[in-house]
Amino acid sequence: MNKLLLSVGSIVAAVLAAQTGEVEITVASGEKTLAQALADEAKTLGPTDDLVKLGAGKLDIGALPEYGGNIHIKAGVVHASATNAFGLATGYTKVYDGAQLQTYTNAEKTLSFGDEQFIIEGTGPDGKGAIRCLSTAQQSSIVSPLGKKLTLTGNALITDTVRHDLFGTTDLGGHTLTLKGGSFYFENSVTTNGNVIASGGVVVFPTQCSFPGDASNVFTLTNNAQFYFCWSVLSKVFWTLDVADGYFQLSVDSQDNLWNGPVILRKMTGFQGGNNAATFATVRFPKKVTGDGGFNMKGNYQELRLGSPENDFKGGIAMNAGSLRIDADGAVPRDGGRLSLTNSAVIFNGIASCSLPPVEFSGTGYVGKCSGAWKTEVVKSGAGELVYDSLLGSELLDVRGGTVRFDRSSLAGLNGGSLSYGIGDTYTPLVKAAYTNTPYLMLTNAVTKNLPRMEMSGWSQNELVTYAGYIWNTNATDVTWTWHVCIDDACDVFLDGGLVISQAGWTSIVTTNLTLTPGPHAFAVRAYNGMGGSGASHANNVFKDSAGTSCTTKGLAVDIQARGMVTNSDYYAVLKDPGDGTLFTTSLELAKFATMKFAPGTGVDFDGMPYTLEHLIGLPDISNGDLTVSGDWIVDGADLVAGGTSVSSGKIVFASGATLKINDALWGEKGRSGMTFLTAEGGIEGMPVLEAVASRYHRRLVRSADGKSLTFYATCGCAIFVR
């Protein structure tokens, strides 16, 4: 005989069991304790008997300190709240379709699940779960995790009020597990295929959990559920993430918050967390993102990283004090929703060209290096500066607030290339390679920021090496440099379209002083190698450093102090752009916008570059560059009346046929005179044609005597203008 103590509240009953078997307890309605039910049915429960619950009523199993059997809940409800309600917790508890296990923990009662296994199916008799947690204290890994293993025999629902840890493995068996309310922590792995639905509450996948299967398995967020990327990289999860209604909480650590399966966003989806200036919270979706929704990056210091060229989500991206990192063209779909970026940056990861949707930068912002185009427009609103270090153009740049500053570092370097021209007369490589009439845009195979082939190593026989672009003098005055050239077999240097250095023969050194006026100059290098030695030459050990070592790394170099030393290599340095375009740029073409529109008080900085614009609207402040207007300039007469003026630190050029359009305002009976709409410190070249409009006023433009301002007049009656 075995003795089993059943403790329910203050009731302690001694029950004798003769053998192991199944003990059926029926609670047809209402609620009973296990001790009451056993007494009513005159039954006993042995320590290894299986307990079978029948009937629609509720059974409180109380405490079973020595119980080692299994529990079958075939109908109704079983309520568990005592610390050892599952006894030794070494067996299993099975909840059949239509039945329910209720669990309860509070500050006084700590329910322990131990190594109990749970087998569940269905949504319970009340639709509130096969397992329904009513706890007011956490059922967590610290307090009482949910057993060793959870197994589904059909689709099942678990509801919760607080944290509920799925501590062991989860065997979905191809079914769908719905988690509703509360917080659910998958503390271990999901071992078989299936689906998980989070309906409200929180779901967390910590570091150690893993998932089997591919994108045919679906994890769904609905009913404003929260998904917590917790301290881990979910790089081995390839499930589909379906966000019907939910949001994400990001962790801040050295790793990405990564989901490695496809994503469906059915509405704008919030991402919270981050808020750490020292460590951005990065969320990364390398696989396809689709759906009518988009990304709402609510926290500060978040980075959204997208990588699939097949993305077609339509809801756009909203971001505050974060960064959008794009890993592939198409990752942010051109025909998707608008990008609304506040104090944020767009960064391109190894992409040469990209096609993007319309964007609005509010406050400060940054656009990284890439070519291509934004659809329709780029809008800058709010105070602050947008740094535009990119070649991405658009139809319209609409500056509603602050300033747009172009950064020519997107053009830093030279166009470089090489070509093998075949075996021929090795003594005349210049002739063999002279297949083009222009020294500038030939052999543009790559972009380089220095001249890496201007040294002895790395050359092929019968090869032409070229560099072309622009060299800059960023000083306000002329500079004179001493140039050194000694290449085996020959080298030509072109400046502003002319041949300024021609050197041939490995023993030949050419040094010459060249003067650069401020600004950019067309620049090209054509170097040649025939047979034998190649690259930088020491001119038969003539070109040496101060220690007497022959130099073969400075085939083309400059002495910016122009000290005139011919043979000492220590005086010379190779030409290398620091990466910001202050020495070399591949071209003089910044990002191309067909139209620029400026609200009063806004401006643009061209970073010293010339810019040609077809359509200009408004009265911007123009700094650090010369602007050519090739089409029309449209000015609101009301802005002129209010004292608006466009001020340029550089030169303004009106191309032939350029027009100025000033709409009429209510000037008053006598009209207005002397409204200076443009002042250019660098002078004004050309004269725009004042568009003829039906007006009660005589409309004229007058250029100042110093050629630096234009004044608009709109007067009544007869007036004589002297230019």
Side-chain angles (χ1 to χ4, degrees):
M1 294 291 185
N2 296 307
K3 184 177 183 181
L4 177 64
L5 293 179
L6 301 179
S7 176
V8 184
S10 60
I11 302 174
V12 178
V15 181
L16 299 180
Q19 60 183 20
T20 299
E22 287 190 351
V23 177
E24 293 185 347
I25 295 295
T26 301
V27 181
S29 61
E31 180 177 347
K32 290 183 179 181
T33 66
L34 178 57
Q36 291 171 337
L38 287 170
D40 290 346
E41 299 184 32
K43 293 181 178 179
T44 60
L45 180 66
T48 57
D49 287 341
D50 280 7
L51 173 62
V52 180
K53 162 64 173 64
L54 304 174
K58 181 177 180 179
L59 176 67
D60 188 336
I61 57 176
L64 303 172
E66 299 177 21
Y67 182 57
N70 304 311
I71 300 173
H72 297 260
I73 308 173
K74 292 189 174 182
V77 176
V78 168
H79 181 85
S81 60
T83 299
N84 49 10
F86 297 101
L88 301 177
T90 55
Y92 66 83
T93 295
K94 184 174 181 179
V95 182
Y96 292 75
D97 190 16
Q100 185 178 87
L101 169 65
Q102 286 184 1
T103 63
Y104 177 78
T105 293
N106 61 21
E108 289 77 31
K109 296 181 178 180
T110 305
L111 175 62
S112 175
F113 295 95
D115 286 333
E116 189 79 359
Q117 299 185 50
F118 293 87
I119 305 169
I120 65 173
E121 180 179 353
T123 61
D126 54 4
K128 295 183 178 180
I131 297 178
R132 183 183 179 191
C133 172
L134 302 174
S135 301
T136 58
Q138 294 182 355
Q139 294 181 180
S140 68
S141 55
I142 299 173
V143 182
S144 48
L146 182 57
K148 181 179 181 180
K149 184 178 182 180
L150 175 67
T151 301
L152 271 62
T153 55
N155 295 339
L157 169 67
I158 300 177
T159 62
D160 204 343
T161 54
V162 291
R163 174 170 167 174
H164 205 131
D165 282 21
L166 306 178
F167 187 68
T169 57
T170 301
D171 183 354
L172 296 174
H175 305 296
T176 297
L177 172 62
T178 300
L179 306 170
K180 187 173 183 180
S183 299
F184 296 90
Y185 281 55
F186 283 80
E187 297 279 5
N188 214 317
S189 300
V190 175
T191 57
T192 57
N193 291 335
N195 307 303
V196 176
I197 298 174
S199 177
V202 179
V203 173
V204 180
F205 298 136
T207 304
Q208 64 271 22
C209 67
S210 62
F211 288 64
D214 55 22
S216 62
N217 302 278
V218 182
F219 174 51
T220 301
L221 298 180
T222 187
N223 195 26
N224 198 34
Q226 179 182 2
F227 177 41
Y228 205 121
F229 281 106
C230 184
W231 318 298
S232 64
V233 178
L234 297 176
S235 59
K236 297 181 180 180
V237 180
F238 301 98
W239 286 26
T240 295
L241 179 58
D242 187 346
V243 187
D245 179 18
Y247 63 99
F248 293 76
Q249 182 72 33
L250 306 182
S251 63
V252 179
D253 55 25
S254 59
Q255 303 182 88
D256 291 353
N257 298 274
L258 169 67
W259 187 271
N260 212 358
V263 179
I264 304 171
L265 301 179
R266 302 188 184 274
K267 61 186 298 186
M268 286 301 290
T269 300
F271 289 78
Q272 298 183 355
N275 301 313
N276 186 336
T279 307
F280 266 55
T282 298
V283 56
R284 182 154 63 101
F285 297 103
K287 301 298 173 58
K288 183 176 180 178
V289 181
T290 189
D292 292 331
F295 297 87
N296 186 5
M297 311 304 292
K298 293 183 175 182
N300 295 330
Y301 310 115
Q302 295 177 341
E303 179 176 270
L304 172 62
R305 186 171 177 181
L306 301 174
S308 173
E310 299 179 353
N311 287 350
D312 60 3
F313 62 92
K314 297 179 175 60
I317 299 171
M319 179 175 289
N320 181 61
S323 64
L324 170 61
R325 186 177 294 272
I326 302 173
D327 289 342
D329 184 19
V332 178
R334 175 179 172 83
D335 295 322
R338 189 180 186 86
L339 308 185
S340 298
L341 310 178
T342 300
N343 301 324
S344 297
V346 178
I347 301 169
F348 301 90
N349 193 29
I351 308 172
S353 181
C354 202
S355 183
L356 295 166
V359 62
E360 178 172 352
F361 292 92
S362 180
T364 60
Y366 173 80
V367 183
K369 294 175 175 59
C370 190
S371 62
W374 305 91
K375 182 179 180 180
T376 311
E377 65 179 4
V378 175
V379 176
K380 166 65 177 73
S381 61
E385 181 180 74
L386 170 63
V387 178
Y388 208 88
D389 184 17
S390 181
L391 298 179
L392 282 160
S394 188
E395 297 172 27
L396 172 65
L397 174 62
D398 187 355
V399 186
R400 302 173 185 175
T403 302
V404 174
R405 177 169 64 85
F406 289 90
D407 190 329
R408 70 170 180 263
S409 66
S410 56
L411 297 167
L414 293 171
N415 303 298
S418 63
L419 178 70
S420 175
Y421 52 85
I423 297 175
D425 184 350
T426 60
Y427 297 103
T428 56
L430 290 174
V431 175
K432 290 291 183 181
Y435 61 91
T436 177
N437 293 325
T438 173
Y440 298 116
L441 298 180
M442 72 283 196
L443 299 181
T444 310
N445 303 333
V447 173
T448 179
K449 293 180 174 58
N450 56 14
L451 301 176
R453 298 294 294 279
M454 298 295 110
E455 56 189 26
M456 177 178 286
S457 61
W459 293 65
S460 299
Q461 294 183 353
N462 298 297
E463 182 183 23
L464 165 68
V465 176
T466 72
Y467 296 94
Y470 291 84
I471 189 168
W472 285 75
N473 171 15
T474 56
N475 297 282
T477 58
D478 294 355
V479 296
T480 299
W481 298 343
T482 299
W483 291 65
H484 160 90
V485 182
C486 187
I487 294 291
D488 185 357
D489 286 294
C491 182
D492 288 346
V493 178
F494 298 82
L495 190 65
D496 290 326
L499 179 64
V500 292
I501 299 175
S502 184
Q503 173 263 329
W506 72 277
T507 63
S508 171
I509 296 178
V510 174
T511 58
T512 186
N513 287 343
L514 296 177
T515 298
L516 300 177
T517 58
H521 299 265
F523 176 73
V525 176
R526 300 173 70 183
Y528 315 91
N529 177 51
M531 305 293 288
S534 64
S537 172
H538 50 62
N540 200 17
N541 297 310
V542 172
F543 193 54
K544 301 178 181 181
D545 62 19
S546 299
T549 303
S550 295
C551 179
T552 57
T553 60
K554 298 178 181 180
L556 190 155
V558 298
D559 174 11
I560 63 173
Q561 299 182 43
R563 288 166 287 190
M565 299 299 295
V566 175
T567 60
N568 192 327
S569 63
D570 289 342
Y571 285 79
Y572 294 90
V574 295
L575 292 165
K576 182 176 182 180
D577 189 273
D580 57 6
T582 54
L583 181 62
F584 293 138
T585 58
T586 56
S587 76
L588 298 180
E589 293 289 334
L590 293 170
K592 184 62 178 176
F593 293 90
T595 301
M596 290 188 184
K597 181 179 180 181
F598 296 89
T602 63
V604 61
D605 182 331
F606 290 119
D607 195 19
M609 297 282 278
Y611 199 94
T612 298
L613 186 60
E614 186 175 357
H615 305 289
L616 176 60
I617 302 172
L619 296 169
D621 290 332
I622 304 168
S623 60
N624 203 12
D626 298 337
L627 175 65
T628 297
V629 179
S630 63
D632 52 44
W633 190 337
I634 301 174
V635 177
D636 189 340
D639 291 341
L640 288 178
V641 172
T645 301
S646 181
V647 178
S648 172
S649 65
K651 179 171 61 177
I652 300 296
V653 178
F654 291 97
S656 177
T659 61
L660 175 64
K661 301 178 180 180
I662 301 178
N663 69 316
D664 257 342
L666 297 177
W667 313 110
E669 284 190 15
K670 295 184 179 180
R672 300 281 295 194
S673 63
M675 293 178 289
T676 299
F677 86 94
L678 170 62
T679 300
E681 289 300 317
I684 299 171
E685 292 184 7
M687 194 70 174
V689 177
L690 189 59
E691 184 187 39
V693 296
S695 174
R696 60 183 292 191
Y697 307 107
H698 298 286
R699 298 155 54 89
R700 297 288 188 273
L701 280 178
V702 175
R703 179 161 45 195
S704 64
D706 63 3
K708 293 185 177 182
S709 66
L710 284 178
T711 301
F712 173 72
Y713 292 84
T715 58
C716 293
C718 180
I720 298 176
F721 294 89
V722 179
R723 182 175 305 195

